[in-house]
Amino acid sequence: MAENTTPADIKPVLNRLRRAQGQLNAVIAAVEGGGKCRDVVIQLAAVSSALDKAGFQIISTAMQKCLNDPEDTTDPMTVEELEKLFMTLA
């Protein structure tokens, strides 16, 4: 994330990533322990969703900063570049 990103910007992203990490650990444990296919897939879907939401949060924060201060050079991404990143998650 950009150098000028505040702790308030980072906290929700870290929370989502930690949630995804916990869910991924549960998937790994279920696979290692012979868990039911249905349960593994449900947990895997939860991991995927948590990662997507973290990515969207990062892009959203970057877009807001880009639009609010287009002259900021600490993270020199253009709106077009951010849109492309957004679309990779969509």
Side-chain angles (χ1 to χ4, degrees):
M1 296 186 77
E3 291 176 18
N4 63 347
T5 304
T6 67
D9 296 329
I10 295 171
K11 185 175 179 168
V13 172
L14 288 175
N15 287 342
R16 288 185 189 284
L17 291 173
R18 286 188 182 111
R19 184 177 308 121
Q21 183 179 36
Q23 291 165 329
L24 183 56
N25 288 337
V27 170
I28 292 168
V31 170
E32 289 175 339
K36 294 180 182 178
C37 178
R38 182 177 192 273
D39 295 337
V40 170
V41 171
I42 289 171
Q43 280 295 327
L44 199 53
V47 171
S48 179
S49 177
L51 291 174
D52 287 345
K53 288 177 182 177
F56 284 125
Q57 183 71 44
I58 290 169
I59 292 170
S60 172
T61 299
M63 282 185 137
Q64 288 172 7
K65 289 184 183 302
C66 181
L67 293 173
N68 289 336
D69 189 4
E71 303 303 318
D72 184 1
T73 59
T74 59
D75 192 4
M77 293 186 72
T78 65
V79 172
E80 292 78 20
E81 290 172 314
L82 291 167
E83 287 174 353
K84 187 175 180 180
L85 285 174
F86 178 84
M87 293 308 292
T88 64
L89 291 174

